[in-house]
Amino acid sequence: GQQVMQIPQYQHVQEGEDFTTYCNSSTTLSNIQWYKQRPGGHPVFLIQLVKSGEVKKQKRLTFQFGEAKKNSSLHITATQTTDVGTYFCADTGTASKLTFGTGTRLQVTL
Amino acid sequence: DTGVSQNPRHKITKRGQNVTFRCDPISEHNRLYWYRQTLGQGPEFLTYFQNEAQLEKSRLLSDRFSAERPKGSFSTLEIQRTEQGDSAMYLCASSFGTGLYGYTFGSGTRLTVV
């Protein structure tokens, strides 16, 4: 079956440093969605990417979809303590049920 | 509308007992999903409904699990004869159509089987 892997598994940065998580699939992705889950919380939708090579920005967050639609990335510029959490990518698949990646846990310290 | 509501928030049960969880989706959303999440992992798909019809079930969903969505409104997930391996967070999510604008997740029900 499909495997969606994310690297790194964990990253610890100092506030102000940049952060990137990479999402790689063993099969072609349909659409990719990104979610953030705070410690003890539930996944919260951030964005959906649909087109090959698409780039979207939300303030300090930049999302990219690979040309071959087999990978995606999320980059955070100048991290803040409020960015702490686990970031998941998820493939919507053909039936629109999400297949989540393994997640990247981000820790930010002052 | 305050979002997707799940209850109870926590459930501790003895092995072999039956448990039922409830999910109230956003009222305008016609799709409802159940996911299971264990510590350090991403949510895993269990099943989903479009209105009252259950359209897909994961192979993860053994015959001890059953879900319903009567009248296309709230949904229940029942686990019969619980096992320790069922301990997890059970998340409900809803979406309008195919989820182009994302899925809205509830806060989940944390099940502990002792």
Side-chain angles (χ1 to χ4, degrees), chain B residues 40-52:
Chain B
Q41 304 295 317
E44 294 176 298
F45 169 79
L46 293 178
T47 188
Y48 90 93
F49 294 82
Q50 181 160 298
N51 301 313
E52 66 274 10

Side-chain angles (χ1 to χ4, degrees), chain B residues 15 23 36 60 67 75 84-85 108:
Chain B
R15 190 175 50 184
C23 171
R36 180 170 66 190
L60 291 174
S75 176
Q84 286 190 320

Side-chain angles (χ1 to χ4, degrees), chain B residues 2-104:
Chain B
T2 56
V4 177
S5 175
Q6 290 188 248
N7 61 79
R9 292 293 307 273
H10 303 273
K11 179 72 177 178
I12 300 175
T13 191
K14 290 184 178 180
R15 190 175 50 184
Q17 297 293 305
N18 299 344
V19 293
T20 300
F21 311 140
R22 177 179 170 124
C23 171
D24 288 89
I26 292 174
S27 56
E28 298 84 12
H29 288 180
N30 58 343
R31 287 199 176 190
L32 184 150
Y33 310 80
W34 285 98
Y35 285 81
R36 180 170 66 190
Q37 185 174 29
T38 52
L39 200 60
Q41 304 295 317
E44 294 176 298
F45 169 79
L46 293 178
T47 188
Y48 90 93
F49 294 82
Q50 181 160 298
N51 301 313
E52 66 274 10
Q54 188 173 18
L55 295 188
E56 188 169 346
K57 294 196 294 186
S58 164
R59 283 170 289 176
L60 291 174
L61 215 64
S62 76
D63 56 6
R64 297 184 297 105
F65 288 70
S66 62
E68 293 183 339
R69 192 183 182 196
K71 302 178 184 176
S73 56
F74 71 92
S75 176
T76 57
L77 178 68
E78 182 184 17
I79 308 174
Q80 296 183 325
R81 305 181 303 281
T82 51
E83 301 173 356
Q84 286 190 320
D86 297 331
S87 296
M89 176 72 84
Y90 290 83
L91 293 163
C92 175
S94 68
S95 72
F96 181 74
T98 56
L100 179 64
Y101 301 105
Y103 293 47
T104 303

Side-chain angles (χ1 to χ4, degrees), chain A residues 26-62:
Chain A
S26 56
T27 58
T28 302
L29 298 159
S30 299
N31 302 322
I32 196 84
Q33 294 187 356
W34 283 91
Y35 289 79
K36 176 184 178 181
Q37 187 170 22
R38 293 181 186 271
H42 56 276
V44 174
F45 174 73
L46 296 176
I47 208 159
Q48 172 162 289
L49 304 174
V50 175
K51 299 177 184 175
S52 163
E54 189 170 12
V55 178
K56 286 188 177 180
K57 292 191 176 184
Q58 284 181 350
K59 297 183 180 178
R60 294 178 295 105
L61 277 58
T62 302

Side-chain angles (χ1 to χ4, degrees), chain A:
Chain A
Q2 179 188 34
Q3 290 190 325
V4 183
M5 307 296 292
Q6 285 182 249
I7 54 171
Q9 196 171 6
Y10 170 75
Q11 186 151 12
H12 184 182
V13 300
Q14 290 201 310
E15 191 176 47
E17 293 181 334
D18 291 357
F19 160 77
T20 304
T21 172
Y22 299 91
C23 173
N24 298 289
S25 174
S26 56
T27 58
T28 302
L29 298 159
S30 299
N31 302 322
I32 196 84
Q33 294 187 356
W34 283 91
Y35 289 79
K36 176 184 178 181
Q37 187 170 22
R38 293 181 186 271
H42 56 276
V44 174
F45 174 73
L46 296 176
I47 208 159
Q48 172 162 289
L49 304 174
V50 175
K51 299 177 184 175
S52 163
E54 189 170 12
V55 178
K56 286 188 177 180
K57 292 191 176 184
Q58 284 181 350
K59 297 183 180 178
R60 294 178 295 105
L61 277 58
T62 302
F63 304 85
Q64 287 192 297
F65 204 177
E67 292 291 342
K69 296 187 79 173
K70 293 190 78 173
N71 57 77
S72 181
S73 65
L74 158 59
H75 179 81
I76 303 178
T77 303
T79 54
Q80 300 174 357
T81 54
T82 53
D83 296 325
V84 165
T86 301
Y87 293 84
F88 290 101
C89 63
D91 180 25
T92 61
T94 53
S96 295
K97 66 178 195 293
L98 298 176
T99 300
F100 280 83
T102 49
T104 295
R105 186 161 68 94
L106 172 64
Q107 180 64 32
V108 182
T109 51
L110 294 170

